[in-house]
Amino acid sequence: MIHTELLSFFDQNTGVIKGRPTVERRLSDLRSSFVDENAYETALNAGDPIIYTVASVEPATGPGQLHYGLGIIMPGKVGDEYYLTKGHLHAWREAAELYFGLSGQGFMLLEDEHSGQSIAIPLAPGSAVYVPAHAAHRTINTGTVPLSYLGVYPSEAGHDYGAIANRNFGSVVIEHEGKPVVVDRRQYLNDRTAASNTETAEKN
Ligand code: PAN
Ligand code: ZN
């Protein structure tokens, strides 16, 4: 039973799991993820920072097996919107997942793919968040330090990014008066358009 795959050493400060692969996602990998496209282009012109990394362990694959990943999201915002992961549905829609907060403060945005109903659940040290079947999920760092977490999922879950890339999440988590708030994406865009129209009218 003693097998190198049975034990791993993870560092929640660096995002590294000893001897395992790490994927880096930079700002340029997150095109169309943020609600404010102008703010995104402005941020990208200023540089292409790493927004998050995921190190993963895949001890065995097949029915009943588990994989897990250590994620770290940097603190920061594009416009008013906090740094976030791309978000995905599991390719095998029945696959649930468990997230454990390790350090920092943030949210998991869960959105049912059929009803579109969404909920933002706090993710922090000491909390475990259950991602049910058929729920698109995105992780968001609303704090001032890196947010790290472990996600444990069936080995056959897979990632489906396409559905999210096409329509994005219905809700966005933005900073408002110094605090994170969850707002409807369309409402946010409408309010911004209305505000910029008022500004234009005032200038004329
Ligand atoms: C996690 C995610 C990780 C990065 O391991 O893959 O948080 O998010 P994206 O995959 O959306 O870029 C997980 O949910 N695996 O199933
Ligand atoms: Zn997942």
Side-chain angles (χ1 to χ4, degrees):
M1 273 291 278
I2 299 299
H3 194 279
T4 55
E5 297 292 1
L6 301 183
L7 177 65
S8 71
F9 298 97
F10 67 86
D11 183 338
Q12 66 201 53
N13 298 312
T14 61
V16 171
I17 306 183
K18 214 173 158 193
R20 316 293 163 145
T22 302
V23 172
E24 277 179 8
R25 298 283 185 218
R26 290 180 179 271
L27 188 60
S28 56
D29 298 314
L30 292 166
R31 184 165 287 284
S32 307
S33 296
F34 292 96
V35 65
D36 186 337
E37 286 175 9
N38 292 335
Y40 177 80
E41 295 304 336
T42 305
L44 202 52
N45 282 336
D48 190 15
I50 293 175
I51 305 297
Y52 64 98
T53 62
V54 186
S56 50
V57 184
E58 304 187 348
T61 301
Q65 305 305 314
L66 298 172
H67 288 176
Y68 57 99
L70 171 67
I72 296 203
I73 310 176
M74 297 306 130
K77 286 179 296 167
V78 168
D80 299 327
E81 192 176 18
Y82 295 100
Y83 281 180
L84 41 70
T85 59
K86 277 186 183 202
H88 60 272
L89 282 152
H90 291 143
W92 178 38
R93 294 291 201 267
E94 281 71 30
E97 180 163 1
L98 252 183
Y99 273 72
F100 300 95
L102 300 175
S103 62
Q105 302 284 330
F107 285 90
M108 300 250 356
L109 197 55
L110 307 183
E111 186 171 299
D112 183 86
E113 74 165 325
H114 299 301
S115 66
Q117 220 181 2
S118 77
I119 182 168
I121 302 180
L123 183 67
S127 67
V129 178
Y130 188 84
V131 178
H134 297 275
H137 43 291
R138 163 173 282 169
T139 315
I140 299 154
N141 183 355
T142 56
T144 53
V145 298
L147 169 71
S148 69
Y149 55 91
L150 271 181
V152 185
Y153 46 96
S155 67
E156 291 159 306
H159 293 82
D160 177 359
Y161 293 104
I164 300 305
N166 289 339
R167 58 165 172 70
N168 217 326
F169 285 75
S171 301
V172 294
V173 182
I174 57 155
E175 186 183 69
H176 182 67
E177 294 176 352
K179 288 199 187 110
V181 291
V182 184
V183 297
D184 181 77
R185 176 178 302 275
R186 267 171 302 181
Q187 186 68 49
Y188 180 83
L189 288 167
N190 288 343
D191 289 353
R192 277 184 65 92
T193 311
S196 83
N197 285 347
T198 310
E199 224 169 78
T200 314
E202 275 166 6
K203 273 187 201 146
N204 292 337

